[in-house]
Amino acid sequence: MKIQNKIALIFTALCAGIILALSAFVYFFASESISASFFHRLEVRSDIVGHAALQENKSLTSIYYDIKERHLGSLPYEKHRILPDPPDEATRKRLSLPSSFYEAAQSDVPVRYFNRDTSYVVLRVARDNKKLMVVSSALDTYGMQEMGNLKHVLLIGFFIAMVFVFTFGKLFSNEIFKPIRRIIRNVKGINAHNLHQRLVVDPTDDDVEALSRTFNDMLDRLEITFEMQNNFVSNASHEFRTPLTIVSGEAELGMSMPGLPDGAKESFLNIYKEVGKLEHLTNSMLSLAQTGFDGKKEQWEEVRIDELILSVKEAADRIIPENQVAIDFDNLPEDECKLTVNGNLALLKAAFSNIVLNSCKYSDNKPVTVKISADSKYVIVDITDQGIGIPDREIGQIFVPFFRASNTAPYKGYGIGLPLTHNIIRMHQGKADVHSRVGEGTRFTTYLPYKYF
Ligand code: ADP
């Protein structure tokens, strides 16, 4: 989940908690105050009824009732029961109120009890040595209605508030993350081929400015290290090239000398072959250094993959005459646009040669198939061999420079061919997949976007 959504959600959850707590607080106090006022009204009536009951003079009793009716009115479902003080067991059972209720009433303070929406009050009334207990009850229908309304208002208010809080939270976090998103966009555009690019730093004097500056400093250091490493590799490879060409030429000349003993001829041949390998190695290192940095974009052109694969096959025939590489054209797309990529011919040739030559090498020249096809976006080249395979746990490392799998001891190699191939494919916005089983073989699949996609 994006951080800005997370922030909006946390903000909403926090506000939801606060609003809920506040609503509960309001609801609780409103309910307490409504119920306290109702109990009070019930107590007043209870007191009047009690005093009326204690009057022996019947005209006074009716005056009490008259005052009560005229000035106080009656409450919904209002009932009064006059009990002896203390009430006997039979009366208690009839009213089915908790006995603690009557015991508490002994303290001369009105006792309140609420059960199943009904409010009960018990009151002791005493006069001229006569005492009695009044148990009054009534239903606070108005209070219940008020509380119901309050509940609705609070709930609706809560949901409306949540919608507002979430919307504003999103807008707010969106606004805050604007500069971060710009940094992400800029950083995404920086790769090994344009390491000189820097983030735009707005002098806002905040964390975003510090982040951009730190990033730019890191890019400075990376660029210097990258440049130093590439310069070293390309200079060294360049320096090796001329002496190697001379040694190779001399060995060739030596081999063609007339009357040379067989042993010496074989030595020259060995020198020639080994120097050839060294030349291949230095060229690969040079290409690796170059593709890792600027990718030689200026030399890009239209490259037909089928023609390229044919030239790779020709090169393989020259280097390993006994190879059994076969090109499968059965799935070739009819539309030649789907075979044309925009790229550097020499580098692409080096990339596919590496895969094909590896397939021959690691299968001891068993049959290798190269299949060309296309999907809606890529030209796909599958190179399948029946060789030694790559151990499962090592497959992830074969594109790491100088890595060689544990089963390659009998085969010569340096571990730079596939990293170079990988760099080249990525440089062409493509991708490479490897499927392999030890003892069964390996399939390399490369995807290169065709030019007119
Ligand atoms: P190397 O010079 O060792 O062949 P690469 O960079 O070309 O170097 O390949 C890296 C490693 O990947 C090899 O050492 C080998 O372990 C493995 N590998 C590459 N291609 C194959 C293949 N066709 N079959 C088996 N293993 C392979």
Side-chain angles (χ1 to χ4, degrees), residues 303-309 328-329 331-333 335-342 348 352 370-382 425 428-433 444-453:
V303 179
R304 281 272 305 244
I305 292 297
D306 50 344
E307 288 168 8
L308 177 85
I309 294 297
D328 173 358
F329 289 114
N331 298 288
L332 212 62
D335 181 357
E336 65 176 43
C337 292
K338 290 191 171 185
L339 282 168
T340 312
V341 302
N342 201 20
L348 283 174
F352 285 106
V370 184
K371 188 177 97 185
I372 309 169
S373 57
D375 66 9
S376 55
K377 184 177 175 190
Y378 297 103
V379 189
I380 305 167
V381 180
D382 274 302
I425 301 283
H428 288 78
Q429 269 77 51
K431 52 188 181 176
D433 270 353
F444 279 88
T445 309
T446 62
Y447 301 82
L448 289 168
Y450 43 77
K451 191 176 176 210
Y452 302 102
F453 172 69

Side-chain angles (χ1 to χ4, degrees), residues 358-359 361-362 385 388-390 398 403-405 407-408 412-419 442 444:
N358 271 351
S359 290
K361 175 165 77 175
Y362 293 113
D385 66 46
I388 57 170
I390 305 166
I398 57 167
F403 175 82
R404 302 201 72 220
N407 58 346
T408 53
K412 279 196 178 156
Y414 307 96
I416 60 168
L418 280 191
T442 304
F444 279 88

